[in-house]
Amino acid sequence: LLCHQIFLDCTFYSTTFPFTKGPSIPKMWIELLNALCISLPIIAFASPATIFLPVFFPKLFHKTSKNTNDTTTTDNEVKVNTPHANTTPTPPPLIEMPPLALTTQMLQCFLFALYAHHFRKWTLFAPNSIGFALGFAWSSLYPIKLSPPAASSFLTPWRIQYVVSLFVMAAGGMTIRRFPFLSSSIAAVVGIIMCTYPLPSLHRAYRERNANLLGSTSMNLAMMTCCSAWVLHSSPWVEYDVFVLVSNAAGVAVQGWALVIRVCIARRRGVNERELTPLAPLL
């Protein structure tokens, strides 16, 4: 009651004395920010495609390296290439990242889509329904193309996370009518884990010099950009929400640190095109 009274007092004084408000933002920028907050999550939800498409369609993304043996001749002879070039196929890539980013996307988007459908909030329902469909696909395809080291480390966690996610989704579907805010509350907590999914792998990725444990660079950039937009949206100058602000600020910090670790790894072992293509100009 005391907190509620303080909130009412703050609201009264902020509306009575306009000089207490923060600087106003033009309406055009607010509308642009709203559009970004709807579209950027969809891009973030689709960004694991940068991991799965090269794995399942390696011929479209990886070229074979050609080794041509040239014959060296004397001054009176003509330099002739060997008629057959030796082609060394690049080994197909495999998934090395943990499943946390995929299973949390599936669970969080399902619960938010369920909540949005119950209250007919279609602007919230659209991106989360797309995110659930993609997250379900990523999570289901994940164990098919795991590398042997990743399978020994991540297959059991994937099974646990996948089964728990299905159980929570079923429970959310059965309780949405009686406890509609339960689904959104669980989804908000899972969303924090989804935004900060590289956190458990940061130390291991740096120690083993393996940036693939952090997902792809595009995944880190997409999630950091999405969280940055929501940090602005939940700031006191737009629509202040301390929970959304703190959770997305944590996502910006973790994803940004993951990108820094990628740069450190690339500087130590050379630029790997698959790990660091968008950040190559920074090196």
Side-chain angles (χ1 to χ4, degrees):
L1 291 176
L2 178 61
C3 294
H4 181 65
Q5 185 61 40
I6 294 174
F7 173 76
L8 292 178
D9 293 341
C10 292
T11 305
F12 170 76
Y13 284 112
S14 63
T15 54
T16 306
F17 305 102
F19 59 83
T20 60
K21 292 184 178 181
S24 60
I25 300 178
K27 185 178 179 181
M28 178 186 68
W29 294 107
I30 298 294
E31 293 176 352
L32 176 61
L33 185 60
N34 290 334
L36 289 175
C37 289
I38 294 175
S39 58
L40 288 177
I42 299 177
I43 298 175
F45 298 151
S47 62
T50 56
I51 293 286
F52 283 86
L53 290 181
V55 167
F56 283 90
F57 304 99
K59 294 183 179 179
L60 298 179
F61 294 89
H62 293 270
K63 299 179 181 180
T64 58
S65 59
K66 296 182 178 180
N67 297 325
T68 304
N69 297 324
D70 295 332
T71 58
T72 306
T73 61
T74 61
D75 296 336
N76 297 328
E77 296 176 345
V78 180
K79 186 177 180 180
V80 181
N81 294 332
T82 53
H84 300 287
N86 297 326
T87 59
T88 304
T90 305
L94 295 173
I95 298 175
E96 300 181 56
M97 64 175 290
L100 189 62
L102 314 175
T103 53
T104 52
Q105 176 182 328
M106 176 180 69
L107 177 57
Q108 186 239 24
C109 291
F110 177 85
L111 294 176
F112 266 140
L114 195 67
Y115 168 82
H117 183 269
H118 179 76
F119 288 102
R120 301 296 189 268
K121 297 183 178 182
W122 305 119
T123 54
L124 182 64
F125 176 79
N128 282 284
S129 59
I130 296 173
F132 165 69
L134 291 173
F136 181 76
W138 308 142
S139 300
S140 302
L141 295 172
Y142 174 80
I144 299 176
K145 292 287 188 177
L146 269 179
S147 65
S152 62
S153 300
F154 303 136
L155 196 55
T156 299
W158 169 81
R159 291 194 183 105
I160 296 173
Q161 295 171 25
Y162 196 82
V163 172
V164 170
S165 297
L166 294 179
F167 175 79
V168 174
M169 287 190 294
M174 291 186 292
T175 59
I176 187 64
R177 293 184 180 275
R178 295 185 59 186
F179 308 102
F181 292 100
L182 180 62
S183 295
S184 62
S185 300
I186 297 174
V189 175
V190 175
I192 299 176
I193 303 174
M194 183 186 69
C195 293
T196 60
Y197 69 84
L199 185 61
S201 303
L202 290 177
H203 178 69
R204 180 180 175 183
Y206 183 77
R207 185 182 70 247
E208 298 180 1
R209 305 291 186 265
N210 185 6
N212 293 327
L213 293 171
L214 307 175
S216 67
T217 309
S218 300
M219 290 176 63
N220 299 141
L221 286 171
M223 186 60 70
M224 187 178 71
T225 306
C226 175
C227 291
S228 300
W230 276 103
V231 165
L232 293 175
H233 191 276
S234 58
S235 65
W237 299 279
V238 186
E239 290 185 14
Y240 182 65
D241 190 322
V242 64
F243 182 82
V244 176
L245 179 63
V246 172
S247 59
N248 283 278
V252 172
V254 173
Q255 299 293 342
W257 189 243
L259 292 172
V260 170
I261 289 179
R262 285 182 177 276
V263 173
C264 294
I265 293 174
R267 285 184 178 275
R268 284 177 175 265
R269 49 180 284 192
V271 180
N272 186 317
E273 183 179 359
R274 180 173 172 233
E275 293 177 353
L276 207 64
T277 301
L279 293 185
L282 300 178
L283 300 176

